[in-house]
């Protein structure tokens, strides 16, 4: 089947899906009696905006880390995964995650929900942002060689199935992991590790970029086209994290400590990586430092509400080391992760979730708690990695996951979107003129 | 700040200065080859860029680094000489050499009397060789092996595949006995790109191909067949 025919079928499927969806949705019933808007609601709504802004952070970081000829493609993936992911999560994912539980495994109500109270609706929107964050983690890892259509389909599956099912186990009050006492405050495992494992599955199915590793085993560094953009992306993600963790609180009473721990975790992550790079005689790289601060943020996300500042710093410091080590480990296994998403979100997420058990204030070093946390992170991997791997394999079979090598040569901006990110520079020379 | 350092050099001036400088260490055909290699470099280059071209050309000719180091100040001085001190413009000699020369790997594509796309292709691959310093570069064997593998996977007539493989073995434009169609040349360029990626990594491969495209764009045949049509 030609690529055009496959694309056509995919878009036709989307058209019918959304048409049916529109017919199904009952009229929204706003709860007008809920007239008092509490400070919690205002803070949650503000947090939504901050978490949404994280998408811009991801987009800038990933775009800067890619070559100029793929800039538009990376931005497009970030821009559109939130569009597709949000609608699919609202339609199906939210029900699977927070609906009435079936044996603690998945939700069976609240699909296509438009009858929630004002506060619950705001909470739903907050959860939409989390789902989109989980999906967008993959886009950085697979940059520069994954087809746009295939990415959109895979991101939709992550938001519709992979993320909500594990989210149900961990965050639904009837979820089996939640019942065991598993804690993950704002999603170090639920959002970040799951996203990281999906990214790992994706890069394993895709394979490395052309020439990234030679047949003789040499590793080639492929620098991004705009490193200051990576730093700006890092700053925006850091800012957004105050909403990511801050918006997850149950009461405003704990907001202060959550924000403090979040900030200290990021600082310590960067410090940990810098110390480790200096001690191991590696160059102190800006890209690694930015990634390490994000790794620090990921790691404190699991226990930002139950840690004291000292343990939050320790958690962040160790995550910085894990980030540097994890990135090198992946390279050793010839896994080409463009932005280091697996190390940042996967590895640091695992460490942060275990650390939440280790440093639980008032119950430190509890073997039972640590065991449950370990069970949680292993379960996250055991569920998300194989499911994502099968999803990417299936997409590869029917739609083709990877672009052709000639498209990789030309750059995905031209090959996939007929738009050039920086037309006045090299692309004008190295690519055929776009036919109007 | 004086802006004379960013002005393009006069072509005759740069030719004469380079000739004076090179003539101290090389003679005859090699000198003519060097002059052509320099002539085909960016015609809008400023003084510093041209000195850079000169250095690269000297390296490509295999001159000793110690000798090259002594040539830089001489060229710098020669570029600023008053016009009356220059020798006669060496261009007539260069043209004579080009007309008489039977084979010139360093001087691209003059011998290919064929379609514009074939000429542009010849310029392109000659530039790639110049950039990569094949066959002396350690990446040459990886390049050749990958090119063979890639050529086996694309639609290409047996004869044309053989022509390209012979070129990769000998790095000699004489390997091309017949013209090849543009679409097949385009596939061959892609295979060369993949082989460059294997030999040097994607960043270097992009840079080498970009440079080659830029250089090929300046040849008259590029007006009929722009080299970017291969990409």
């Amino acid at each position: 089947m030609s690529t055009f025919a496959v694309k056509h079928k995919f878009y036709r499927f989307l058209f019918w899906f959304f048409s049916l969806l529109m017919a199904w949705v009952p009229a929204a019933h706003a709860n007008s009696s809920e007239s008092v808007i509490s400070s919690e609601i205002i803070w949650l709504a503000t947090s939504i905006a901050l978490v949404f802004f994280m998408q811009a952070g991801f987009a800038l970081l990933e775009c800067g880390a890619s070559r100029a000829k793929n800039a538009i493609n990376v931005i497009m993936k970030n821009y559109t995964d939130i569009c597709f992911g949000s609608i699919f999560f609202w339609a199906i994912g939210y029900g699977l995650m927070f609906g009435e539980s079936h044996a603690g495994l998945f939700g069976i109500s609240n699909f296509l929900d438009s009858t929630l109270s004002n506060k619950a609706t705001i909470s739903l929107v907050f959860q939409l942002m989390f789902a989109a964050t989980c999906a967008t983690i993959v886009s950085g890892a697979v940059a520069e060689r994954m087809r746009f259509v295939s990415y959109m389909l895979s991101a939709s599956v992550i938001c519709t199935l992979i993320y909500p099912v594990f989210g149900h186990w961990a965050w639904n009050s009837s979820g089996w992991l939640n019942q065991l006492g598993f804690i993950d405050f704002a999603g170090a495992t639920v959002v970040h590790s799951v996203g990281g494992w999906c990214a790992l599955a994706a890069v394993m199915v895709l394979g490395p970029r052309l020439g990234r590793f030679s047949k003789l085993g040499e590793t080639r560094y492929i620098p991004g086209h705009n490193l200051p953009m990576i730093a700006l992306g890092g700053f925006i993600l850091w800012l957004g994290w105050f909403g990511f963790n801050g918006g997850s609180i149950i009461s405003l009473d704990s907001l202060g400590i959550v924000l403090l721990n979040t900030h200290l975790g990021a600082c310590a992550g960067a410090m940990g990586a810098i110390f480790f790079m200096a001690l191991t005689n590696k160059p102190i790289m800006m890209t690694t430092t930015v990634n390490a601060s994000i790794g620090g943020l990921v790691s404190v996300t699991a226990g930002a509400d139950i840690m004291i500042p000292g343990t939050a710093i320790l958690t962040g410091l160790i995550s910085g080391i894990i980030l540097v080590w994890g990135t090198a480990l992946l390279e050793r296994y010839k896994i080409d992760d463009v932005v280091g998403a697996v190390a940042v979100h996967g590895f640091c997420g695992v460490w942060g979730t275990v650390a939440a058990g280790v440093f639980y204030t008032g119950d430190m070093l509890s073997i039972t708690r640590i065991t449950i946390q370990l069970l949680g992170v292993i379960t996250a991997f055991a569920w998300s990695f194989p499911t994502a791997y099968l999803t990417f394999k299936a997409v590869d079979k029917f739609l083709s996951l990877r672009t052709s090598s000639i498209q990789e040569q030309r750059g995905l901006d031209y090959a996939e979107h007929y738009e050039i990110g920086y037309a006045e520079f090299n692309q004008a020379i190295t690519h055929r003129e776009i036919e109007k | 700040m004086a802006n004379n350092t960013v002005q393009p050099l006069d072509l005759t001036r740069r030719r004469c200065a380079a000739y004076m400088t090179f003539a101290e260490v090389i003679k005859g055909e090699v000198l003519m080859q060097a002059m052509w290699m320099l002539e085909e470099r960016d015609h809008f280059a400023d003084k510093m860029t041209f000195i850079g071209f000169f250095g690269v050309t000297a390296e490509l000719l295999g001159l000793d680094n110690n000798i090259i180091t002594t040539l830089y100040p001489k060229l710098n001085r020669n570029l600023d000489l008053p016009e009356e001190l220059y020798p006669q413009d060496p261009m007539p000699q260069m043209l004579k050499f080009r007309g008489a020369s039977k084979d010139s790997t360093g001087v691209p594509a003059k011998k290919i009397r064929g379609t514009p796309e074939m000429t542009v292709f010849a310029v392109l691959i000659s530039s790639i060789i110049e950039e990569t310093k094949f066959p002396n570069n350690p990446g040459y064997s990886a390049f050749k092996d990958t090119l063979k593998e890639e050529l086996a996977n694309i639609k290409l007539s047996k004869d044309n595949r053989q022509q390209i493989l012979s070129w990769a073995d000998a790095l000699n434009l004489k390997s091309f006995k017949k013209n090849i169609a543009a679409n097949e040349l385009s596939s061959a360029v892609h295979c060369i790109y993949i082989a460059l990626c294997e030999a040097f990594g994607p960043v270097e491969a992009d840079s080498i191909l970009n440079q080659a495209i830029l250089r090929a764009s300046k040849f008259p045949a590029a007006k009929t067949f722009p080299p970017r049509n291969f990409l």
Side-chain angles (χ1 to χ4, degrees), chain A residues 414-432:
Chain A
Y414 171 79
E416 297 247 330
H417 309 292
Y418 294 89
E419 277 185 306
I420 304 288
Y422 306 92
E424 67 272 36
F425 297 130
N426 280 352
Q427 281 80 358
I429 299 159
T430 57
H431 300 97
R432 292 181 217 200

Side-chain angles (χ1 to χ4, degrees), chain A residues 67 69 210-215 220-223 405-406 409-410 426 428-433, chain B residues 146 149 186 189-190 193-194 197-203 206 209-210 213-214 228-231:
Chain A
R67 283 167 290 177
K69 62 182 177 181
L210 213 56
R212 173 78 164 94
F213 303 107
S214 77
K215 285 172 191 156
R220 277 75 171 264
Y221 175 58
I222 305 178
S405 57
I406 186 76
Q409 177 196 320
R410 288 174 182 162
N426 280 352
I429 299 159
T430 57
H431 300 97
R432 292 181 217 200
E433 280 172 22
Chain B
T146 313
E149 284 169 25
S186 186
V189 169
H190 179 55
Y193 174 77
I194 295 179
C197 282
E198 178 57 32
F200 302 107
V203 178
D206 275 334
L209 195 60
N210 281 352
I213 291 286
L214 272 173
R228 62 182 171 205
N229 283 0
F230 285 135
L231 303 177

Side-chain angles (χ1 to χ4, degrees), chain A residues 37-55:
Chain A
I37 297 176
S38 67
S39 325
E40 275 95 352
I41 289 179
I42 292 172
W43 169 241
L44 190 57
T46 310
S47 297
I48 289 169
L50 286 170
V51 181
F52 177 77
F53 196 42
M54 283 172 72
Q55 294 289 328

Side-chain angles (χ1 to χ4, degrees), chain A residues 26-31 114-117:
Chain A
H29 300 290
N31 191 344
S114 57
T115 58
L116 295 169
S117 66

Side-chain angles (χ1 to χ4, degrees), chain A residues 364-427:
Chain A
M364 257 191 213
L365 301 171
S366 157
I367 298 296
T368 317
R369 196 175 286 283
I370 295 168
T371 309
I372 293 168
Q373 293 300 99
L374 279 171
L375 176 68
V377 297
I378 292 167
T379 307
F381 181 82
W383 160 250
S384 55
F385 179 77
T387 322
Y389 193 87
L390 288 174
T391 304
F392 290 116
K393 275 282 182 192
V395 174
D396 190 32
K397 188 169 173 55
F398 294 109
L399 276 178
S400 173
L401 202 61
R402 188 172 179 137
T403 56
S404 63
S405 57
I406 186 76
Q407 288 176 325
E408 212 174 320
Q409 177 196 320
R410 288 174 182 162
L412 303 194
D413 290 3
Y414 171 79
E416 297 247 330
H417 309 292
Y418 294 89
E419 277 185 306
I420 304 288
Y422 306 92
E424 67 272 36
F425 297 130
N426 280 352
Q427 281 80 358

Side-chain angles (χ1 to χ4, degrees), chain A residues 108-129:
Chain A
I108 50 171
S109 65
N110 296 81
F111 297 108
L112 301 162
D113 206 338
S114 57
T115 58
L116 295 169
S117 66
N118 183 41
K119 187 174 180 184
T121 306
I122 292 176
S123 176
L124 183 153
V125 180
F126 189 60
Q127 289 303 329
L128 283 179
M129 299 304 145

